[in-house]
Coordinates of all heavy atoms in Angstrom, one line a residue:
M25 N 0.8 -1.2 0.0 CA 0.0 0.0 0.0 C 0.9 1.2 0.0 O 1.8 1.3 0.8 CB -0.9 0.0 1.2 CG -1.8 1.1 1.3 SD -3.0 0.6 2.6 CE -3.6 2.1 3.0
E26 N 0.5 2.1 -0.9 CA 1.4 3.4 -1.0 C 0.6 4.5 -0.3 O -0.5 4.8 -0.6 CB 1.6 3.6 -2.5 CG 2.7 4.6 -2.7 CD 3.0 4.7 -4.2 OE1 3.1 3.6 -4.8 OE2 3.0 5.8 -4.7
V27 N 1.3 5.3 0.5 CA 0.8 6.4 1.2 C 1.6 7.7 0.9 O 2.8 7.6 0.9 CB 0.8 6.2 2.8 CG1 0.3 7.4 3.5 CG2 0.1 4.9 3.1
R28 N 0.8 8.7 0.6 CA 1.5 10.0 0.3 C 2.1 10.6 1.5 O 1.4 10.6 2.6 CB 0.5 11.0 -0.4 CG 0.1 10.5 -1.7 CD -0.8 11.5 -2.4 NE 0.1 12.6 -2.8 CZ -0.3 13.7 -3.4 NH1 -1.5 13.9 -3.6 NH2 0.6 14.6 -3.8
V29 N 3.3 11.1 1.4 CA 3.9 11.8 2.5 C 3.4 13.2 2.5 O 3.5 13.9 1.5 CB 5.4 11.7 2.4 CG1 6.1 12.5 3.5 CG2 5.9 10.3 2.4
P30 N 2.9 13.7 3.7 CA 2.4 15.1 3.6 C 3.5 16.1 3.4 O 4.6 15.9 3.9 CB 1.8 15.3 5.0 CG 2.3 14.2 5.8 CD 2.7 13.1 4.9
Q31 N 3.2 17.1 2.6 CA 4.2 18.1 2.3 C 4.4 19.1 3.5 O 3.4 19.4 4.1 CB 3.8 18.9 1.1 CG 3.9 18.1 -0.2 CD 5.3 18.1 -0.7 OE1 6.3 18.1 0.1 NE2 5.5 17.8 -2.0
A32 N 5.6 19.4 3.7 CA 5.8 20.4 4.7 C 5.4 21.8 4.2 O 5.3 22.1 3.0 CB 7.3 20.5 5.1
K33 N 5.0 22.7 5.1 CA 4.6 24.0 4.7 C 5.8 24.7 4.1 O 6.9 24.5 4.5 CB 4.1 24.8 5.9 CG 2.8 24.3 6.5 CD 2.3 25.1 7.6 CE 1.0 24.6 8.1 NZ 0.5 25.4 9.3
P34 N 5.5 25.6 3.2 CA 6.6 26.4 2.6 C 7.2 27.3 3.6 O 6.6 27.6 4.6 CB 6.0 27.2 1.5 CG 4.5 27.2 1.8 CD 4.2 25.9 2.6
L35 N 8.5 27.7 3.4 CA 9.1 28.5 4.3 C 8.4 29.9 4.5 O 7.9 30.4 3.5 CB 10.6 28.8 3.9 CG 11.5 27.6 3.9 CD1 12.8 28.0 3.3 CD2 11.7 27.0 5.2
L36 N 8.4 30.4 5.7 CA 7.7 31.6 5.9 C 8.7 32.8 5.6 O 9.9 32.6 5.7 CB 7.3 31.8 7.4 CG 6.3 30.7 7.9 CD1 6.1 30.9 9.4 CD2 5.0 30.9 7.2
V37 N 8.1 33.9 5.1 CA 8.9 35.0 4.8 C 9.0 35.9 6.0 O 8.0 36.3 6.6 CB 8.3 35.8 3.6 CG1 9.1 37.0 3.3 CG2 8.2 34.9 2.4
R38 N 10.2 36.3 6.4 CA 10.4 37.2 7.6 C 10.2 38.6 7.2 O 10.8 39.1 6.2 CB 11.7 37.0 8.2 CG 11.9 37.7 9.5 CD 13.2 37.4 10.1 NE 13.3 36.0 10.5 CZ 12.9 35.5 11.7 NH1 12.4 36.3 12.6 NH2 13.0 34.2 11.9
L39 N 9.3 39.3 7.9 CA 9.1 40.8 7.6 C 9.8 41.6 8.7 O 9.8 41.2 9.9 CB 7.6 41.1 7.6 CG 6.8 40.4 6.5 CD1 5.3 40.8 6.8 CD2 7.2 40.9 5.2
S40 N 10.2 42.7 8.3 CA 10.8 43.6 9.3 C 9.6 44.2 10.2 O 8.5 44.3 9.7 CB 11.6 44.7 8.7 OG 10.7 45.5 7.8
P41 N 9.8 44.5 11.4 CA 8.7 45.0 12.3 C 8.2 46.3 11.8 O 8.9 47.1 11.3 CB 9.4 45.1 13.7 CG 10.8 44.7 13.5 CD 11.1 44.3 12.1
F42 N 6.9 46.5 12.0 CA 6.3 47.8 11.6 C 5.1 48.0 12.6 O 4.6 47.1 13.2 CB 5.8 47.7 10.2 CG 4.8 46.7 9.9 CD1 3.4 46.9 9.9 CD2 5.2 45.4 9.5 CE1 2.5 45.9 9.7 CE2 4.3 44.4 9.3 CZ 2.9 44.7 9.3
R43 N 4.6 49.3 12.6 CA 3.6 49.7 13.5 C 2.3 49.9 12.7 O 2.4 50.4 11.6 CB 3.9 51.0 14.3 CG 5.0 50.8 15.2 CD 5.1 52.0 16.0 NE 4.1 51.9 17.1 CZ 4.3 52.3 18.3 NH1 5.5 52.8 18.7 NH2 3.4 52.1 19.2
L44 N 1.2 49.6 13.3 CA -0.1 50.0 12.7 C -0.7 51.2 13.6 O -0.8 51.1 14.8 CB -1.1 48.8 12.8 CG -0.7 47.6 12.0 CD1 -1.8 46.5 12.3 CD2 -0.7 48.0 10.5
N45 N -0.9 52.2 12.9 CA -1.5 53.4 13.6 C -3.0 53.2 13.8 O -3.7 52.7 12.9 CB -1.2 54.7 12.8 CG 0.2 55.0 12.7 OD1 1.0 54.7 13.7 ND2 0.7 55.6 11.7
I46 N -3.5 53.6 15.0 CA -4.9 53.5 15.3 C -5.5 54.8 15.1 O -5.0 55.8 15.6 CB -5.1 53.0 16.7 CG1 -4.5 51.6 16.8 CG2 -6.6 52.9 17.0 CD1 -4.5 51.1 18.3
R47 N -6.6 54.9 14.3 CA -7.3 56.1 14.1 C -8.1 56.5 15.3 O -8.8 55.7 15.9 CB -8.3 56.0 12.9 CG -7.6 55.8 11.6 CD -8.6 55.8 10.5 NE -8.2 54.9 9.5 CZ -9.0 54.4 8.6 NH1 -10.3 54.6 8.6 NH2 -8.6 53.6 7.6
P48 N -8.0 57.8 15.7 CA -8.7 58.2 16.9 C -10.2 58.4 16.5 O -10.6 58.8 15.4 CB -8.1 59.6 17.2 CG -7.5 60.1 16.0 CD -7.1 58.8 15.2
G49 N -11.1 58.0 17.4 CA -12.5 58.2 17.2 C -13.1 57.1 16.2 O -12.4 56.2 15.9
R50 N -14.3 57.4 15.8 CA -14.9 56.5 14.9 C -14.3 56.6 13.5 O -14.0 57.8 13.1 CB -16.4 56.7 14.8 CG -17.1 56.4 16.2 CD -18.5 56.6 16.1 NE -19.1 55.4 15.4 CZ -20.4 55.2 15.3 NH1 -21.2 56.0 15.9 NH2 -20.8 54.1 14.7
S51 N -14.1 55.6 12.8 CA -13.5 55.6 11.5 C -14.4 56.2 10.4 O -13.9 56.8 9.4 CB -12.9 54.3 11.1 OG -14.0 53.3 11.0
A52 N -15.6 55.9 10.5 CA -16.5 56.4 9.4 C -17.9 56.7 10.0 O -18.3 56.1 10.9 CB -16.6 55.3 8.3
R53 N -18.6 57.6 9.3 CA -20.0 57.9 9.7 C -20.8 56.8 9.1 O -20.6 56.3 8.0 CB -20.4 59.2 9.1 CG -19.8 60.4 9.8 CD -20.4 61.6 9.3 NE -21.9 61.6 9.5 CZ -22.6 62.7 9.9 NH1 -21.9 63.8 10.0 NH2 -23.8 62.6 10.1
T54 N -21.8 56.4 9.9 CA -22.7 55.4 9.4 C -24.0 56.0 9.0 O -24.3 57.2 9.3 CB -23.0 54.4 10.5 OG1 -23.6 55.0 11.6 CG2 -21.7 53.7 11.0
V55 N -24.9 55.3 8.3 CA -26.2 55.8 7.9 C -27.0 56.1 9.1 O -27.7 57.1 9.2 CB -26.9 54.7 7.0 CG1 -28.3 55.2 6.7 CG2 -26.1 54.5 5.7
R56 N -26.8 55.3 10.2 CA -27.6 55.6 11.4 C -27.2 56.9 12.0 O -28.1 57.7 12.4 CB -27.2 54.5 12.5 CG -28.0 54.6 13.8 CD -27.5 53.5 14.7 NE -28.3 53.5 15.9 CZ -28.1 54.3 17.0 NH1 -27.1 55.1 16.9 NH2 -28.9 54.2 18.0
D57 N -25.9 57.3 12.0 CA -25.5 58.6 12.4 C -26.1 59.7 11.6 O -26.5 60.8 12.1 CB -24.0 58.7 12.4 CG -23.3 57.8 13.3 OD1 -23.9 57.4 14.3 OD2 -22.1 57.5 13.1
E58 N -26.2 59.5 10.3 CA -26.8 60.5 9.4 C -28.3 60.7 9.7 O -28.8 61.8 9.6 CB -26.5 60.1 7.9 CG -25.1 60.2 7.5 CD -24.9 59.7 6.1 OE1 -25.8 59.9 5.3 OE2 -23.8 59.2 5.8
I59 N -29.0 59.5 9.9 CA -30.4 59.6 10.2 C -30.6 60.4 11.5 O -31.5 61.3 11.6 CB -31.0 58.2 10.3 CG1 -31.0 57.5 9.0 CG2 -32.4 58.2 10.9 CD1 -31.3 56.0 9.0
L60 N -29.8 60.1 12.5 CA -30.0 60.8 13.8 C -29.7 62.3 13.7 O -30.3 63.1 14.4 CB -29.1 60.2 14.9 CG -29.5 58.7 15.3 CD1 -28.4 58.2 16.2 CD2 -30.8 58.7 15.9
A61 N -28.8 62.7 12.8 CA -28.5 64.1 12.6 C -29.6 64.8 11.9 O -29.8 66.0 12.2 CB -27.2 64.2 11.7
V62 N -30.4 64.2 11.0 CA -31.4 64.9 10.3 C -32.8 64.8 10.9 O -33.8 65.5 10.6 CB -31.5 64.6 8.8 CG1 -30.2 64.9 8.1 CG2 -31.9 63.1 8.6
L63 N -33.0 63.9 11.9 CA -34.3 63.6 12.5 C -34.9 64.9 13.1 O -36.1 65.1 12.8 CB -34.2 62.6 13.6 CG -34.3 61.1 13.1 CD1 -34.3 60.2 14.3 CD2 -35.6 60.9 12.3
P64 N -34.2 65.7 13.9 CA -34.9 66.9 14.4 C -35.5 67.8 13.4 O -36.5 68.5 13.6 CB -33.8 67.6 15.2 CG -32.8 66.6 15.5 CD -32.8 65.6 14.3
E65 N -34.9 67.9 12.2 CA -35.4 68.7 11.1 C -36.7 68.1 10.5 O -37.5 68.8 9.9 CB -34.4 68.9 10.1 CG -33.1 69.6 10.6 CD -32.0 69.5 9.6 OE1 -32.3 69.3 8.4 OE2 -30.8 69.7 10.0
L66 N -36.8 66.8 10.4 CA -37.8 66.1 9.7 C -39.0 65.7 10.5 O -40.1 65.5 9.9 CB -37.3 64.9 9.0 CG -36.1 65.1 8.0 CD1 -35.6 63.8 7.4 CD2 -36.6 66.0 6.8
I67 N -38.9 65.7 11.8 CA -40.0 65.2 12.6 C -41.0 66.4 12.7 O -40.7 67.5 13.0 CB -39.6 64.8 14.0 CG1 -38.7 63.5 13.9 CG2 -40.7 64.6 15.0 CD1 -38.1 63.0 15.2
D68 N -42.3 66.1 12.5 CA -43.4 67.1 12.6 C -43.9 67.3 14.0 O -43.3 66.7 15.0 CB -44.5 66.8 11.7 CG -45.3 65.5 12.0 OD1 -45.0 64.9 13.1 OD2 -46.1 65.1 11.3
E69 N -44.9 68.1 14.2 CA -45.4 68.4 15.6 C -46.0 67.2 16.3 O -46.2 67.2 17.5 CB -46.4 69.6 15.5 CG -47.6 69.3 14.7 CD -47.5 69.6 13.2 OE1 -46.4 70.1 12.8 OE2 -48.4 69.4 12.5
H70 N -46.3 66.2 15.5 CA -46.9 65.0 16.1 C -45.9 63.9 16.4 O -46.2 62.8 16.8 CB -48.0 64.4 15.2 CG -49.1 65.3 14.8 ND1 -50.0 65.7 15.7 CD2 -49.4 65.9 13.6 CE1 -50.8 66.6 15.1 NE2 -50.5 66.7 13.9
G71 N -44.6 64.3 16.2 CA -43.5 63.3 16.4 C -43.4 62.3 15.3 O -42.9 61.2 15.6
E72 N -43.9 62.6 14.1 CA -43.8 61.6 13.0 C -43.0 62.2 11.9 O -42.8 63.4 11.7 CB -45.3 61.4 12.5 CG -46.2 60.8 13.6 CD -47.6 60.7 13.1 OE1 -48.0 61.3 12.1 OE2 -48.4 60.1 13.8
L73 N -42.6 61.3 11.0 CA -41.9 61.7 9.8 C -42.2 60.7 8.7 O -42.6 59.5 9.0 CB -40.4 61.7 10.0 CG -39.6 60.4 10.1 CD1 -38.4 60.5 9.1 CD2 -39.1 60.2 11.5
M74 N -42.1 61.1 7.5 CA -42.4 60.3 6.3 C -41.1 59.7 5.8 O -40.0 60.4 5.8 CB -43.0 61.1 5.2 CG -44.4 61.7 5.6 SD -45.7 60.5 5.6 CE -45.8 60.1 3.9
M75 N -41.1 58.5 5.5 CA -39.9 57.8 4.9 C -39.4 58.5 3.6 O -38.2 58.6 3.4 CB -40.2 56.3 4.7 CG -39.0 55.5 4.3 SD -37.9 55.4 5.7 CE -36.8 54.2 5.1
C76 N -40.4 59.0 2.8 CA -40.0 59.6 1.6 C -39.2 60.9 1.9 O -38.3 61.2 1.1 CB -41.2 59.9 0.7 SG -42.4 60.9 1.4
D77 N -39.6 61.6 2.9 CA -38.8 62.8 3.3 C -37.4 62.5 3.7 O -36.4 63.1 3.4 CB -39.5 63.6 4.4 CG -40.9 64.1 4.0 OD1 -41.1 64.3 2.8 OD2 -41.7 64.4 4.9
L78 N -37.3 61.4 4.5 CA -36.0 61.0 4.9 C -35.1 60.5 3.8 O -33.9 60.9 3.7 CB -36.1 59.8 6.0 CG -34.8 59.3 6.6 CD1 -34.1 60.4 7.4 CD2 -35.1 58.1 7.5
L79 N -35.7 59.8 2.9 CA -35.0 59.3 1.7 C -34.6 60.4 0.8 O -33.5 60.5 0.2 CB -35.8 58.3 0.9 CG -35.8 56.9 1.6 CD1 -36.9 56.0 0.8 CD2 -34.5 56.2 1.6
S80 N -35.5 61.4 0.6 CA -35.1 62.5 -0.3 C -34.0 63.4 0.3 O -33.2 64.0 -0.4 CB -36.3 63.4 -0.5 OG -36.8 64.0 0.7
R81 N -33.9 63.4 1.7 CA -32.8 64.1 2.3 C -31.5 63.4 2.3 O -30.5 64.0 2.0 CB -33.3 64.4 3.8 CG -32.3 65.1 4.6 CD -32.1 66.6 4.1 NE -31.1 67.2 4.8 CZ -31.3 68.1 5.8 NH1 -32.5 68.4 6.2 NH2 -30.2 68.6 6.4
L82 N -31.5 62.1 2.5 CA -30.3 61.3 2.6 C -29.9 60.7 1.3 O -28.8 60.2 1.2 CB -30.4 60.2 3.7 CG -30.6 60.8 5.1 CD1 -30.8 59.6 6.1 CD2 -29.4 61.6 5.5
N83 N -30.8 60.6 0.3 CA -30.5 60.0 -0.9 C -31.0 60.8 -2.1 O -31.9 60.4 -2.8 CB -31.1 58.6 -0.9 CG -30.7 57.8 -2.1 OD1 -29.7 58.0 -2.8 ND2 -31.5 56.7 -2.4
P84 N -30.5 62.0 -2.3 CA -31.0 62.9 -3.3 C -30.8 62.3 -4.7 O -31.5 62.7 -5.7 CB -30.3 64.2 -3.1 CG -29.1 63.9 -2.3 CD -29.4 62.7 -1.5
E85 N -29.7 61.5 -4.9 CA -29.4 61.0 -6.2 C -30.3 59.8 -6.6 O -30.4 59.4 -7.8 CB -28.0 60.5 -6.3 CG -27.0 61.5 -6.0 CD -26.7 61.7 -4.5 OE1 -26.9 60.7 -3.8 OE2 -26.2 62.7 -4.1
G86 N -31.0 59.2 -5.7 CA -31.9 58.1 -5.9 C -31.2 56.8 -6.1 O -31.7 55.9 -6.8
D87 N -30.0 56.6 -5.5 CA -29.2 55.4 -5.6 C -29.9 54.3 -4.9 O -30.3 54.4 -3.7 CB -27.8 55.7 -5.0 CG -26.9 54.5 -5.1 OD1 -27.1 53.6 -6.0 OD2 -26.0 54.4 -4.3
N88 N -30.1 53.1 -5.6 CA -30.8 52.0 -5.0 C -30.1 51.4 -3.8 O -30.7 51.0 -2.8 CB -31.0 50.9 -6.0 CG -32.2 51.3 -7.0 OD1 -33.0 52.0 -6.6 ND2 -32.1 50.7 -8.2
R89 N -28.7 51.3 -3.9 CA -28.0 50.8 -2.7 C -28.1 51.7 -1.5 O -28.2 51.2 -0.4 CB -26.5 50.6 -3.1 CG -26.3 49.5 -4.2 CD -24.9 49.3 -4.5 NE -24.3 48.6 -3.3 CZ -23.0 48.4 -3.2 NH1 -22.2 48.9 -4.1 NH2 -22.5 47.8 -2.2
R90 N -28.0 53.0 -1.7 CA -28.1 53.9 -0.6 C -29.5 53.9 0.0 O -29.7 53.9 1.2 CB -27.8 55.3 -1.2 CG -28.0 56.4 -0.2 CD -26.8 56.5 0.7 NE -27.0 57.7 1.5 CZ -26.3 57.9 2.6 NH1 -25.5 57.0 3.1 NH2 -26.5 59.0 3.3
R91 N -30.6 53.8 -0.9 CA -31.9 53.7 -0.4 C -32.1 52.4 0.5 O -32.7 52.5 1.6 CB -32.9 53.6 -1.6 CG -34.3 53.4 -1.2 CD -35.2 53.1 -2.4 NE -36.5 52.7 -1.9 CZ -37.6 53.5 -2.0 NH1 -37.5 54.6 -2.7 NH2 -38.8 53.1 -1.6
W92 N -31.5 51.3 0.0 CA -31.6 50.1 0.8 C -30.9 50.2 2.1 O -31.4 49.8 3.2 CB -31.0 48.9 0.0 CG -31.0 47.6 0.7 CD1 -32.0 46.8 0.8 CD2 -29.9 47.1 1.4 NE1 -31.6 45.7 1.6 CE2 -30.3 45.8 2.0 CE3 -28.6 47.5 1.7 CZ2 -29.5 45.0 2.7 CZ3 -27.8 46.7 2.5 CH2 -28.2 45.5 3.0
A93 N -29.8 50.9 2.2 CA -29.0 51.1 3.4 C -29.8 52.0 4.4 O -29.9 51.7 5.6 CB -27.7 51.8 3.1
V94 N -30.5 53.0 3.9 CA -31.3 53.9 4.7 C -32.5 53.1 5.3 O -32.8 53.2 6.5 CB -31.7 55.2 4.0 CG1 -32.8 55.9 4.8 CG2 -30.6 56.0 3.6
E95 N -33.2 52.4 4.4 CA -34.3 51.6 4.9 C -33.9 50.5 5.9 O -34.6 50.3 6.9 CB -35.0 50.9 3.7 CG -35.7 51.9 2.8 CD -36.3 51.3 1.5 OE1 -36.0 50.1 1.3 OE2 -37.0 52.0 0.8
K96 N -32.8 49.9 5.7 CA -32.3 48.9 6.6 C -32.0 49.5 8.0 O -32.3 49.0 9.0 CB -31.1 48.2 6.0 CG -30.6 47.0 6.9 CD -29.4 46.4 6.2 CE -28.8 45.3 7.0 NZ -27.7 44.7 6.3
A97 N -31.3 50.7 8.0 CA -30.9 51.3 9.2 C -32.2 51.8 10.0 O -32.3 51.6 11.2 CB -30.1 52.5 8.9
V98 N -33.2 52.3 9.3 CA -34.4 52.7 9.9 C -35.1 51.5 10.5 O -35.6 51.5 11.7 CB -35.4 53.4 8.9 CG1 -36.8 53.6 9.5 CG2 -34.8 54.8 8.6
W99 N -35.2 50.4 9.8 CA -35.8 49.2 10.3 C -35.1 48.7 11.6 O -35.8 48.3 12.5 CB -35.8 48.1 9.2 CG -36.5 46.9 9.6 CD1 -37.8 46.6 9.6 CD2 -35.9 45.7 10.2 NE1 -38.1 45.4 10.1 CE2 -36.9 44.8 10.4 CE3 -34.6 45.3 10.4 CZ2 -36.7 43.5 10.9 CZ3 -34.3 44.0 10.9 CH2 -35.4 43.2 11.2
R100 N -33.8 48.7 11.6 CA -33.0 48.3 12.7 C -33.2 49.2 13.9 O -33.3 48.7 15.1 CB -31.5 48.2 12.4 CG -31.2 47.0 11.6 CD -29.7 46.9 11.4 NE -29.3 45.7 10.8 CZ -28.1 45.4 10.4 NH1 -27.1 46.2 10.5 NH2 -27.9 44.2 9.8
M101 N -33.3 50.5 13.7 CA -33.6 51.4 14.8 C -35.0 51.3 15.3 O -35.2 51.5 16.5 CB -33.3 52.9 14.2 CG -31.9 53.2 13.9 SD -31.7 54.7 13.0 CE -32.1 55.9 14.3
A102 N -35.9 50.9 14.5 CA -37.3 50.8 15.0 C -37.6 49.5 15.7 O -38.5 49.4 16.5 CB -38.3 50.9 13.8
N103 N -36.8 48.5 15.5 CA -37.0 47.2 16.2 C -36.0 47.0 17.3 O -35.1 47.6 17.6 CB -36.8 46.0 15.2 CG -38.0 46.0 14.2 OD1 -39.1 46.3 14.6 ND2 -37.6 45.7 13.0

């Protein structure tokens, strides 16, 4: 019976040491942050807002991916 001998891993390449800089604060704004920033302007006297108003404010170009991101963020905030 013939058995294959497992191959050893290839030699590792040695890298010189280096540092990774950490960015202070949050690295990027999220759609949730943008929604929270425009909410005071869009909420009416009854404490309600229309999704179309929010989308027109945060997605003026009508991009489908952006619309999906806004809708998903609102859904997550509501649940």
Side-chain angles (χ1 to χ4, degrees):
M25 184 166 158
E26 194 171 312
V27 178
R28 294 187 72 184
V29 177
Q31 288 283 24
K33 292 184 179 180
L35 295 175
L36 298 176
V37 177
R38 184 173 299 271
L39 297 175
S40 59
F42 60 94
R43 292 189 83 138
L44 294 177
N45 294 329
I46 299 173
R47 295 184 210 161
R50 296 183 77 170
S51 60
R53 283 187 64 140
T54 62
V55 176
R56 183 181 188 278
D57 294 336
E58 294 178 29
I59 291 170
L60 292 175
V62 298
L63 273 183
E65 302 169 18
L66 298 177
I67 293 179
D68 63 8
E69 63 274 358
H70 303 290
E72 300 173 346
L73 74 131
M74 299 286 290
M75 186 67 167
C76 60
D77 294 338
L78 183 63
L79 285 171
S80 66
R81 178 67 186 261
L82 296 178
N83 187 21
E85 301 87 24
D87 181 25
N88 285 334
R89 292 183 72 190
R90 176 78 171 162
R91 177 189 171 111
W92 178 82
V94 171
E95 289 174 350
K96 183 177 177 182
V98 168
W99 184 81
R100 284 184 173 174
M101 291 170 70
N103 290 322

